[in-house]
Each structure stands twice: as C-alpha cells, then as structure tokens.
Amino acid sequence: MATTSRRDNLLRLTKKLEALISNLQSPEVKTTVQIKPKTAAPGFVNFVKPVTILNPADPNKKYCTEAVCPESDCKLADLVKLGNLRKAVPLPKIYSLRNSTVKTYLSLYRYDFHTTVRDCCLYNSSLMAFTSPEMLETFQNTLKLEKRLKGIFWLRGLYSKECNAHVWCPEKEIIGENGPMKWRRGFPNQNSGDCLAVQTGQQNEEENGLFNYDCSLKTNYVCYVINN
C-alpha cells in the first residue's frame, strides 16, 4: 500500500509539473499600449493624435514607451494669424501625395530642431518620420516636386537616454538597422547630437541616410498631415 501511495503521489506531482510547463510554453498574450500627447496649455494647440501600439505589432519593430518626446504645441493666436496669411499668400506649396491621403510641405527657411516642431504645428501638421516605406516615398516625392534632392532635413526622431536608442516620435518606435531608410556611414554617433536628420543627394551612397545632429543647428525639414 505504501508503494502504491508513493506512486500515486509521484503521478500527481508529474501532472502538476506538466501543467506548469504547458503554461510557460503558451504564446505570450498581446497587449496594447496607447501613447497620449500631453494636454496643451491654455492658449496653445497640439495636433499630434494618440498613438496605439500593439505589442508586439510587428516582429521587426520595437518600442521604447519610456522615451520622452518633444511637445508639439503652438500658440493658437499664431495659428490663426498664419491661417489668415495663407489665404492671401499661399506659401509654402502644399502637396497632396499618395492618392491625396498625405499632404506635405517643404520648409522655405532653416530652423533648429525644436523650432521646426512648432512650425509644423502652425501648419496643422507634424515633422516627417520614416515609420513606413510609404512615408519615406512621400518624403522623396516631395523633394522631387521641389527639385531639392540634395540637402539635410530634420526628422521627427531623437535619442532616448531612457532606452539608449534613437526613436521616432510620438510613436516611440526604436529606429533599428532594418527600417525604410538606412543610417549614414559612421552613424549613429554619440558625439554628434541628440536630434535626427537625413542627408540626401550625395554621390557616395554611404553618405546618404539617417544621422544624429546637433539640435541647435539650423536646416530644412518636411512637414506632413494625413487626411482622415
């Protein structure tokens, strides 16, 4: 009887272990994370929409939810003033691309990174980010239409010390090696600045691509808005 009892106990323990192992091997439950833009202060507006991330949404994409992205606020008074000005002087040119689902414009002037974020806001838009091949194509088509294929342009990305990686904002997607646009040779480089830009039009292809840049330097940029 003692032998039978021990055998029964061993069988029960074995079944419990098998159940535990089965639970450990079960597929990970997918969760969603929503990143909400900070509420704009009185007298300011923010056109950045909430971003919902399915984790893992894409096996090739990773996110840094702890990253701190710059606020995209602009003064409501400036927005109204610029809107009235655009009715009289429709500059810069605004292009409808990709079956009119995306509108873009290329800056007339050069600004530092944080000024470009506010300037895009004044046009009800966001600074360009290469979060998909379609967005990269839209950027390239805008340069072709403007006949400005060579230059340096700010993008909506920066270095996140929270994850020790560069991310697109506000999606907080980590920019890896397999994105639509590659990095320039020698980049990312910790000594070159925290903000993200892209170099285009160089004869040597290794000199074209993403690179981190000093946020205080002034250069061109492209803004876009997706029509819903």
Side-chain angles (χ1 to χ4, degrees):
M1 292 293 293
T3 302
T4 303
S5 178
R6 282 198 296 271
R7 185 182 302 147
D8 291 342
N9 287 335
L10 285 172
L11 285 172
R12 281 196 294 271
L13 286 171
T14 301
K15 287 181 179 179
K16 286 182 179 179
L17 285 171
E18 287 176 348
L20 286 171
I21 292 170
S22 177
N23 289 336
L24 288 173
Q25 292 177 341
S26 297
E28 182 181 345
V29 177
K30 293 183 178 181
T31 59
T32 57
V33 177
Q34 187 177 59
I35 298 174
K36 295 183 179 180
K38 184 180 177 182
T39 303
F44 286 76
V45 291
N46 187 334
F47 291 100
V48 175
K49 297 178 181 179
V51 178
T52 300
I53 296 172
L54 180 63
N55 185 25
D58 183 327
N60 296 319
K61 290 191 175 187
K62 296 181 180 178
Y63 297 90
C64 171
T65 54
E66 300 85 7
V68 179
C69 286
E71 296 301 326
S72 302
D73 296 353
C74 53
K75 289 183 179 179
L76 180 59
D78 290 345
L79 183 68
V80 172
K81 185 188 301 181
L82 190 58
N84 292 331
L85 178 63
R86 284 204 304 271
K87 291 178 182 178
V89 185
L91 290 174
K93 291 181 181 178
I94 298 177
Y95 298 100
S96 293
L97 302 169
R98 295 198 62 80
N99 299 322
S100 298
T101 58
V102 180
K103 289 185 177 182
T104 67
Y105 81 85
L106 193 148
S107 60
L108 297 174
Y109 306 104
R110 296 180 179 182
Y111 294 124
D112 63 82
F113 175 80
H114 293 286
T115 302
T116 67
V117 173
R118 290 195 299 272
D119 192 64
C120 286
C121 177
L122 289 173
Y123 282 86
N124 305 7
S125 61
S126 300
L127 193 59
M128 182 63 72
F130 301 151
T131 51
S132 69
E134 291 77 16
M135 293 306 295
L136 174 58
E137 179 188 356
T138 296
F139 170 78
Q140 292 170 333
N141 287 340
T142 301
L143 297 189
K144 289 176 184 176
L145 289 168
E146 281 282 343
K147 298 180 181 179
R148 295 168 68 179
L149 300 179
K150 184 176 181 179
I152 292 174
F153 303 89
W154 283 124
L155 298 174
R156 190 163 42 93
L158 46 71
Y159 173 74
S160 168
K161 62 182 180 181
E162 293 79 10
C163 299
N164 190 29
H166 287 82
V167 300
W168 295 119
C169 285
E171 296 85 355
K172 301 185 179 181
E173 176 191 335
I174 294 176
I175 304 169
E177 295 294 328
N178 300 318
M181 171 65 79
K182 65 178 181 61
W183 288 90
R184 281 177 59 187
R185 181 178 58 187
F187 289 92
N189 185 329
Q190 289 186 333
N191 299 319
S192 296
D194 289 341
C195 295
L196 197 69
V198 61
Q199 172 83 57
T200 64
Q202 300 300 304
Q203 278 191 320
N204 183 350
E205 269 305 312
E206 290 187 335
E207 294 302 318
N208 292 318
L210 305 176
F211 70 106
N212 51 301
Y213 204 38
D214 186 332
C215 305
S216 65
L217 296 178
K218 296 180 179 180
T219 191
N220 296 107
Y221 52 98
V222 173
C223 299
Y224 81 97
V225 60
I226 296 178
N227 297 330
N228 293 326

